[in-house]
Amino acid sequence: KAFTDLRLKALRETAMKILPDGYWRNEAEPCHLTFDDGPTPETTAALVEMLNENRIKATFFFTGENARKYPDLVAMTAESGHQLGNHSYNHQFCYTENPVKFKEGIELTNRIIEDASGVRPAVYRPPFGIIDRGRAEIIDSLDMRLVYWGALAEDWKDLGDEEIVRRINKQLNPGTIIVLHEMARIKSQCLKATGKIVENALAQGYSFDAISK
């Protein structure tokens, strides 16, 4: 576990040095709770309900592909006061698409999300947290904020909710961007871990807010 903690810390520190400028942490005190890869019927509605019960506003980075399948979940998330972000159309490494296709995918995803919710995403997180300078400039040209990560648990793996919670707690500080993932195959882990992370953070006096543009 100690090696894992050091590896995750080194990954973030190295990425901050080599990736294009973007948003890594909130300089103010509130943390940001973010979810990637939705929406999905297995988790999105349950997460929104949990967050609303705790009066927490989160940021959901939806893919265009999933938003197109589940527009009602997109609308419900926005109506509950949560922030909607763009996570590409189909979650490919940005390098697999030429810049024109990359921009088209971002714009298509923005339209799908806006059509469903009435809200155009103002924030973008690249799949796998990696992007090059040219594509980062495209995001900037679309008047969107490039968002990276702070506390990462690699929770797309089936690690169990207790390990996810431990990893996030280890990295949690004021202003931290917490990254979690929602998908059908880790439904139970996602919901249990989120509940415990929220409970622990609030007990420690942390607060949460959406990401400003």
Side-chain angles (χ1 to χ4, degrees):
K1 291 181 179 180
F3 174 77
T4 295
D5 295 339
L6 288 172
R7 178 175 57 81
L8 292 174
K9 180 180 179 181
L11 176 65
R12 182 176 65 254
E13 291 177 348
T14 301
M16 291 177 70
K17 293 176 182 177
I18 65 176
L19 291 176
D21 290 343
Y23 188 57
W24 286 97
R25 67 180 304 275
N26 186 9
E27 294 302 326
E29 185 172 307
C31 298
H32 300 309
L33 184 58
T34 70
F35 298 90
D36 288 0
D37 300 346
T40 174
E42 289 77 13
T43 53
T44 305
L47 286 171
V48 167
E49 181 179 1
M50 181 193 306
L51 296 169
N52 290 350
E53 288 174 354
N54 287 280
R55 299 182 179 179
I56 290 174
K57 298 305 179 187
T59 302
F60 287 78
F61 287 94
F62 289 153
T63 66
E65 196 169 47
N66 285 340
R68 174 170 273 170
K69 290 179 184 176
Y70 308 113
D72 290 348
L73 290 176
V74 177
M76 179 270 297
T77 304
E79 288 166 2
S80 295
H82 300 287
Q83 183 177 25
L84 304 183
N86 186 319
H87 196 45
S88 82
Y89 180 75
N90 56 4
H91 206 276
Q92 292 186 12
F93 268 114
C94 67
Y95 307 112
T96 65
E97 299 177 310
N98 66 51
V100 172
K101 288 292 185 183
F102 172 80
K103 184 177 182 180
E104 289 175 352
I106 301 303
E107 292 177 318
L108 174 59
T109 298
N110 280 347
R111 288 196 300 273
I112 291 169
I113 292 174
E114 185 171 13
D115 287 347
S117 67
V119 179
R120 180 186 181 276
V123 291
Y124 168 79
R125 174 179 283 145
F128 311 101
I130 298 172
I131 194 169
D132 64 4
R133 190 164 305 282
R135 289 168 179 81
E137 290 173 355
I138 290 173
I139 297 302
D140 186 62
S141 74
L142 294 172
D143 197 29
M144 301 179 74
R145 189 170 200 178
L146 175 59
V147 178
Y148 290 114
W149 74 89
L152 184 69
E154 298 178 326
D155 62 318
W156 57 85
K157 304 175 184 177
D158 186 10
L159 300 173
D161 57 283
E162 292 295 342
E163 176 62 10
I164 301 303
V165 174
R166 189 198 69 79
R167 292 184 181 190
I168 294 296
N169 285 346
K170 188 73 175 180
Q171 301 170 74
L172 192 58
N173 291 292
T176 297
I177 303 174
I178 300 172
V179 181
L180 298 172
H181 294 77
E182 51 166 334
M183 55 189 73
R185 65 178 176 79
I186 55 168
K187 171 186 176 180
S188 177
Q189 174 178 279
C190 170
L191 297 177
K192 289 180 180 178
T194 300
K196 293 173 183 177
I197 289 166
V198 166
E199 181 181 2
N200 291 344
L202 293 177
Q204 294 178 63
Y206 289 102
S207 61
F208 295 91
D209 202 356
I211 299 169
S212 64
K213 175 63 178 72

